[in-house]
Amino acid sequence: MLTDVTGLSAGAVSLVILLYGASVAVGNNLGGRLADRMGPVPALTLIFAGLAVLLAAFGLALPHPVAAVAVVALWGGFAFANVPPLQAYVVQIARQVSPDAVDVASGLNIGAFNLGIALGAAVGGVVVDDMGLIAAPFVGALVVAASIGLIRLSGRLGEPTKAAIAA
């Protein structure tokens, strides 16, 4: 995208990827802090909303090099800010439902990340083939927007479990 649509050189893309990586490290740290402060479900809602907006913004910014690089810098942080709250949420649910299986649940969560990466790459390939390269960020934004509904639903469904365990 950055070479074909934005027009950056391969060397410039390498620097953008370095910037993205730095943003990932910051976002991962901030995501954990946000989950500690707000709780996993509200933190994930905020992070996913930001990520959906940034993905759509990336699609709009692609023809503009400075804007595209700025969005990529923020995108990395939001893209990986979700990892600590998701892990915390999985562990929280496992502790409530099956305290002896927290390690298994944690491992399955990381496996689910890898499955999501594989499925995302496959779906992304189909999107690029069928709709073009420029469509990928917008489709990604729609997928992330749907995840907001799923995490909110999960949070609501988890409330009766918490009450039942406390009783």
Side-chain angles (χ1 to χ4, degrees), residues 121-153:
V123 170
V126 170
V127 167
V128 169
D129 281 348
D130 292 350
M131 300 169 69
L133 191 57
I134 197 78
F138 297 109
V139 173
L142 291 174
V143 170
V144 174
S147 72
I148 295 169
L150 291 173
I151 196 65
R152 301 299 298 170
L153 176 62

Side-chain angles (χ1 to χ4, degrees), residues 150-165:
L150 291 173
I151 196 65
R152 301 299 298 170
L153 176 62
S154 176
R156 281 193 296 271
L157 293 174
E159 292 304 317
T161 304
K162 293 176 191 174
I165 290 171

Side-chain angles (χ1 to χ4, degrees), residues 19-20 23 51 54 69-79:
L19 178 64
Y20 179 88
S23 178
L51 183 56
L54 283 168
V69 171
V71 172
V72 168
L74 293 171
W75 173 20
F78 276 86

